[in-house]
Amino acid sequence: MRQSPLCSATKVKVSALHEKSQAELTQSLDQYKRELLDLKVQQVAGAGASKGSKIRDVRKNISRVLTVITRKNRDSVIAQYAGKKHIPKDLRAKKTRAIRRALTKHESTRRTVRQQKKDAHFAVRQYAIKA
Amino acid sequence: TNKAQAARKAALKGVHGKKEKKEHTSTTFRLPKTLRLARTPKYTRTATPRFAKLDQYSILRQPLNTETAMKKIEDNNTLVFLVDVRANKRHIKDAVKKLYDVDAAKINTLIRPDGVKKAYIRLPADVDALDVANKIGFI
């Protein structure tokens, strides 16, 4: 994406965001939102060049910061529930409704003792024709 | 044998023993008060609670600087803003306070025919709307 040389809103680097703490992230979030507000006001005032690209950059920056915040929160929750039996539903595998309700691998391989004996004694024989 | 007698009696009586007949003073049977335990969930339903989407930044969308709006600023000491539709007057007052550090004397809102909410934010007499508008930057 072409960026004009006068563009003050640069794209924030996600790697830089990951190093920040939660408090710093919320602070930078506020900062970007403030910037967005000011840009919108400037746009209304009609001052100078169109602010479209700047506004776009700031909006994307806001979403980058929010993504990092959410990612960090979720990671800490996942770590908290690691190894536990019941975990929050949005951390469980989504797959499909039907798959989630299907028998587990273990459950579907269960055989009764009667069936086991049948399989042992009266197994389906494999034949091969001698060439 | 006292102990034996007592044991025999208890065995004959059985576990339930004597039931006390409660005296009902009214003909209606009301639901008795039972133990209600608070919830102790084994897991939170959503991993992280959602952050507030209607914060002060998303309430005030943009100020208006149309001719009528400018008249309002000069004559009536009010600012005119386009505002999120879900915001109410209390939200707007709060947002203006947080963002621009001005108290609002009173706020009137209306929803424009194109679905956007407009807020007329009257400022107290000691504050000049024109100054505030200049400070915000949309004059």
Side-chain angles (χ1 to χ4, degrees), chain A residues 14 17-18 25 63-73:
Chain A
V14 180
L17 287 176
H18 270 295
L25 283 172
S63 59
R64 282 189 195 103
V65 175
L66 282 173
T67 308
V68 172
I69 290 176
T70 316
R71 187 71 255 167
K72 285 197 169 188
N73 280 338

Side-chain angles (χ1 to χ4, degrees), chain B residues 87-95 106-109 117:
Chain B
N88 60 22
K89 291 180 183 178
R90 295 196 177 107
H91 286 145
I92 298 165
K93 188 168 184 157
D94 228 19
K106 77 164 175 169
I107 298 178
N108 289 51
T109 55
K117 200 176 241 183

Side-chain angles (χ1 to χ4, degrees), chain A residues 30-31 33-34 37-38 40-42 44-46 66 70 73-74 77 81 86-92, chain B residues 42-48 51-52 55 57 60-65 81 98-100 136-139:
Chain A
D30 272 340
Q31 176 202 328
K33 285 193 176 178
R34 193 76 215 219
L37 191 68
D38 292 337
K40 284 194 180 166
V41 168
Q42 286 176 32
V44 168
L66 282 173
T70 316
N73 280 338
R74 278 179 76 102
V77 174
Y81 279 98
H86 300 286
I87 56 177
K89 288 197 173 177
D90 56 345
L91 297 180
R92 303 184 194 177
Chain B
K42 292 209 172 88
Y43 62 94
T44 53
R45 302 302 128 165
T46 55
T48 50
F51 47 84
D55 58 352
Y57 297 103
L60 297 180
R61 295 208 330 201
Q62 58 169 145
L64 278 182
N65 65 352
F81 269 85
K98 277 193 197 153
L99 289 179
Y100 302 124
I136 296 174
F138 67 90
I139 291 289

Side-chain angles (χ1 to χ4, degrees), chain A residues 80-119:
Chain A
Q80 183 192 338
Y81 279 98
K84 297 247 179 80
K85 191 172 175 200
H86 300 286
I87 56 177
K89 288 197 173 177
D90 56 345
L91 297 180
R92 303 184 194 177
K94 176 82 179 180
K95 295 194 179 174
T96 69
R97 194 159 198 262
I99 291 174
R100 277 180 269 142
R101 276 151 189 69
L103 291 173
T104 64
K105 200 123 191 290
H106 179 251
E107 286 166 357
S108 56
T109 57
R110 303 264 73 216
R111 296 274 175 272
T112 59
V113 177
R114 184 184 157 82
Q115 185 66 34
Q116 285 174 20
K117 286 186 181 173
K118 272 190 174 178
D119 291 342

Side-chain angles (χ1 to χ4, degrees), chain B residues 37-85:
Chain B
L37 293 171
R39 286 197 186 190
T40 50
K42 292 209 172 88
Y43 62 94
T44 53
R45 302 302 128 165
T46 55
T48 50
R50 295 177 102 190
F51 47 84
K53 291 221 171 139
L54 194 66
D55 58 352
Q56 73 245 51
Y57 297 103
S58 51
I59 286 177
L60 297 180
R61 295 208 330 201
Q62 58 169 145
L64 278 182
N65 65 352
T66 56
E67 283 180 19
T68 336
M70 297 315 293
K71 253 193 120 196
K72 279 263 175 250
I73 291 178
E74 289 158 19
D75 300 346
N76 301 83
N77 209 34
T78 63
L79 298 172
V80 189
F81 269 85
L82 290 184
V83 146
D84 194 300
V85 201

